[in-house]
Amino acid sequence: MPPAPRPAIRAAAPALGLVLAVFVIDLNVPLGVAAAVPYTFAVLLALRVPAGWFAPAVAGLCGVLTVAKLELNAERGTTEYWKVLVNRGLALFSIGMTLFLGVLRRRAEDARRRAEEETREHLAALAHLDRLHAAGQLATGLAHEVNQPLAAIGLQAEVAARLAALPDRGPALAACLEEIAAQSQRAGEIVKSLRRMTAPGRSVAAVVALNEVVLAAARVIEWEARRAGAAVSWELKEPLPAVWGDHVQLEQVVFNLLLNAVQAVAGTDGARDVRVETTAAADVVIVTVRDTGPGLGPDGPERVFERFYTTKPTGMGVGLAVSRSVVEAHGGKLWAANDPAGGAVFSFHLPADREDRSR
Amino acid sequence: MTTGPTIYVVDDDAAVSRAIASAGALLGLPVRAFASAADFLAACDPAAPGCLVLDVKMPGMTGLELQRRLADDGVRIPVVMVSGHADVRIAVEAMTLGALTLLEKPFRLDELIVHLRAALARDAATRAAASRQDAAAARLAALTPKEREVLERIARGATNRDIAADLGLSVRAVEDRRARLMKKMDARSVADLVWVISATGEPGG
């Protein structure tokens, strides 16, 4: 037996049980009493069952039973027959109205859920666009980065070819070949991380370790940081509570903050430091990115989160706005401030994942 | 007194440094790699012979900045620049600062070896010229002021008789001084003498 329908049965049982109970009571009390009205509660219960046809079916059943009672047990005591009919009519009316209002409400809920779904999809699409844009910005650095292992591989291969022709080559040849293998691997990793970055974003929720997210983002930013002459360092709290969310999108948030920080320090003459920290407080996990750049301009820290607000010649003004939306969609908060010691501080917190989802 | 030349490599990418070290080992030359310009400056010994393979783009001090710094400090080590993406501006600047060449990554082993050899030959030549100059200067400094007076006049082409008249000495005294200074300068002829003087870079008189 497939176990799948069991939750549906569990949801449907109270409604059907109530219908039966009301029918039994209705059969055994005088017709004058409005014993049919409690059928409306059965309809309300039936509305909670996910299957859309169930509530109308229960309402129909209730209607039929309400009328059937007249035929099965016509005991009406002293009540006049027209009053009995009005009584039954009122019960039918309440059942009908309950069903009508319930279905209306359900439709509104479905519409709201669809809208939320659409918003989530939009966010994922926008996040993807932002990743593509970032990848474009990184392209120069990336080409340079792939070029390094290629240069090493080319030289080592030529040296290896010459060593192979020598009678006494010692361990040098093996060292060359090992280096070639390692550098090929490195070039492959770079290509892989680019592909991961530009892959269309499907929102996948899972348990996410933010320290891993930070390290992954830091790896991608490494090249750009080198180009900009920025030193990226991190201090990660271990162990750090996990969060619940989309790894790719969260990595993008950290990446955006890092890219922003690296680009901010690139133009400065002084120290070019970018520092990432993860900490945990109460039931949130906090990620902070500090830089020693010029800080957030006279427009105020909050303006950086406005869509299409940018101070960079190649900027699109979407990265930080998308980041804030992603963090908020994860139930967290992202904010920016100027560091009194100079530079800017971006920080976000996400609720720690308390549920034990391991199985 | 002199040790063999060393190939110095300054590149922030360890893999590229290791590859250049492999090439150096093939030439039978020691290679010392540095991850940053600052590391190289801290270890740099202007007296040690060798050449420098220098990456343009590095965090902190760039290759061009290091080149400028070395020029300012009077370190005349020949430089082979290497770069992942060199544009004309960088190339011109590197050459203006005295780089032998600029190799674009990825480059061929042959290219590298040719330029390493050229750089080491240039270094050897510069060092030989410098040591000749030092030796000549030392000899010149060993002369007494009176011998120097005579030397200046010989270099100008004056005869012993002219010098004697000019300085109010006997021809014999001039001949004595001339013999002494020729010996001190380790010169067998006037041509030798002039050559040694010109090696010091000092004007003859």
Side-chain angles (χ1 to χ4, degrees):
Chain A
M1 265 254 241
R6 286 195 55 197
I9 292 175
R10 212 180 294 152
L16 293 174
L18 189 57
V19 170
L20 190 68
V22 173
F23 182 61
V24 170
I25 294 166
D26 190 25
L27 264 187
N28 295 302
V29 296
L31 277 171
V33 184
V37 175
Y39 278 131
T40 55
F41 295 111
V43 174
L44 281 176
L45 282 177
L47 279 164
R48 297 180 56 183
V49 175
W53 55 266
F54 189 70
V58 168
L61 178 66
C62 293
V64 169
L65 294 179
T66 304
V67 179
K69 144 85 181 183
L70 286 175
E71 298 301 318
L72 294 175
N73 184 4
E75 169 61 63
R76 57 185 156 99
T78 56
T79 318
E80 293 150 69
Y81 196 68
W82 69 269
K83 282 186 182 163
V84 171
L85 285 183
V86 168
N87 215 328
R88 292 284 121 180
L90 273 177
L92 287 175
F93 179 72
S94 338
I95 291 166
M97 278 314 284
T98 307
L99 177 69
F100 177 65
L101 290 176
V103 167
L104 271 191
R105 199 192 126 119
R106 213 162 137 152
R107 287 222 176 124
E109 256 171 28
D110 283 351
R112 188 173 54 80
R113 208 171 296 130
R114 259 201 309 281
E116 271 175 10
E117 187 70 29
E118 259 171 41
T119 310
R120 221 177 4 254
E121 273 169 23
H122 278 158
L123 184 61
L126 200 60
H128 180 221
L129 205 65
D130 180 51
R131 274 202 301 282
L132 286 180
H133 176 70
Q137 276 190 300
L138 290 183
T140 322
L142 233 135
H144 181 248
E145 199 53 29
V146 179
N147 211 25
Q148 300 279 43
L150 285 184
I153 290 168
L155 268 187
Q156 297 278 17
E158 285 194 278
V159 172
R162 293 205 186 178
L163 286 174
L166 296 179
D168 175 32
R169 49 196 177 230
L173 179 58
C176 284
L177 296 176
E178 271 164 30
E179 189 67 24
I180 290 170
Q183 293 308 313
S184 310
Q185 192 70 31
R186 174 180 162 199
E189 290 292 329
I190 296 165
V191 173
K192 214 183 290 170
S193 61
L194 175 69
R195 201 163 45 206
R196 198 161 63 117
M197 200 168 148
T198 52
R202 245 180 322 113
S203 197
V204 189
V207 175
V208 177
L210 272 181
N211 282 346
E212 276 173 29
V213 167
V214 168
L215 288 177
R219 258 199 305 280
V220 181
I221 203 74
E222 201 186 309
W223 331 317
E224 189 64 18
R226 200 178 308 158
R227 242 158 57 84
V232 180
S233 60
W234 48 80
E235 191 180 325
L236 307 177
K237 187 178 188 293
E238 290 281 2
L240 192 70
V243 298
W244 180 254
D246 183 316
H247 190 288
V248 174
Q249 285 189 9
L250 290 176
E251 185 181 324
Q252 189 178 358
V253 171
V254 178
F255 171 80
N256 279 339
L257 298 184
L258 283 176
L259 181 65
N260 205 59
V262 164
Q263 288 176 343
V265 298
T268 58
D269 292 328
R272 296 175 181 175
D273 295 331
V274 174
R275 187 156 185 78
V276 201
E277 284 167 23
T278 57
T279 47
D283 44 7
V284 292
V285 183
I286 306 167
V287 179
T288 308
V289 177
R290 272 169 220 287
D291 65 60
T292 55
L296 305 166
D299 295 334
E302 275 303 302
R303 278 219 65 185
V304 297
F305 294 113
E306 283 174 26
R307 221 156 260 192
F308 307 121
Y309 174 82
T310 182
T311 56
K312 294 172 209 143
T314 58
M316 202 162 67
V318 170
L320 289 175
V322 168
S323 299
R324 176 169 268 190
S325 304
V326 167
V327 168
E328 282 170 0
H330 281 80
K333 204 164 146 28
L334 167 65
W335 68 94
N338 278 313
D339 192 337
V345 186
F346 284 83
S347 193
F348 69 87
H349 63 68
L350 296 173
D353 184 39
R354 289 256 164 252
E355 281 172 55
D356 183 20
R357 292 177 210 267
S358 56
R359 222 181 276 184
Chain B
M1 159 197 154
T2 51
T3 53
T6 304
I7 298 170
Y8 298 94
V9 181
V10 180
D11 195 317
D12 60 316
D13 197 297
V16 175
S17 290
R18 283 196 296 272
I20 295 172
S22 288
L26 206 58
L27 291 176
L29 290 172
V31 177
R32 279 187 72 185
F34 301 89
S36 73
D39 288 355
F40 175 73
L41 279 174
C44 175
D45 172 16
C51 67
L52 175 61
V53 180
L54 182 56
D55 188 28
V56 176
K57 290 251 173 179
M58 286 185 292
M61 191 188 273
T62 67
L64 292 174
E65 282 164 1
L66 174 61
Q67 234 192 328
R68 207 169 294 132
R69 172 75 184 274
L70 289 174
D72 288 350
D73 291 357
V75 179
R76 297 182 58 193
I77 186 165
V79 175
V80 173
M81 295 292 270
V82 294
S83 173
H85 42 192
D87 54 28
V88 174
R89 192 187 58 75
I90 290 173
V92 168
E93 201 170 343
M95 304 306 262
T96 310
L97 285 167
L100 278 180
T101 187
L102 189 144
L103 297 177
E104 196 165 3
K105 290 180 198 169
F107 43 81
R108 301 296 304 257
L109 178 63
D110 284 339
E111 268 184 291
L112 178 66
I113 287 178
V114 164
H115 288 108
L116 284 179
R117 288 210 169 113
L120 292 173
R122 157 94 61 106
D123 186 54
T126 321
R127 280 173 198 284
S131 71
R132 273 200 305 277
Q133 187 179 334
D134 289 351
R139 282 184 228 151
L140 207 56
L143 299 183
T144 64
K146 284 180 179 170
E147 286 163 351
R148 233 188 139 105
E149 280 175 352
V150 176
L151 173 69
E152 283 164 10
R153 284 167 177 78
I154 294 171
R156 259 186 258 137
T159 63
N160 284 358
R161 200 179 300 276
D162 294 340
I163 299 169
D166 197 11
L167 296 177
L169 295 167
S170 69
V171 173
R172 184 63 206 239
V174 172
E175 277 173 356
D176 279 355
R177 281 192 198 171
R178 183 177 185 139
R180 263 203 309 278
L181 77 88
M182 290 290 271
K183 199 171 173 202
K184 280 190 182 170
M185 294 299 283
D186 195 21
R188 253 169 254 113
S189 63
V190 175
D192 251 6
L193 194 64
V194 173
W195 195 86
V196 172
I197 296 168
S198 68
T200 64
E202 282 189 28

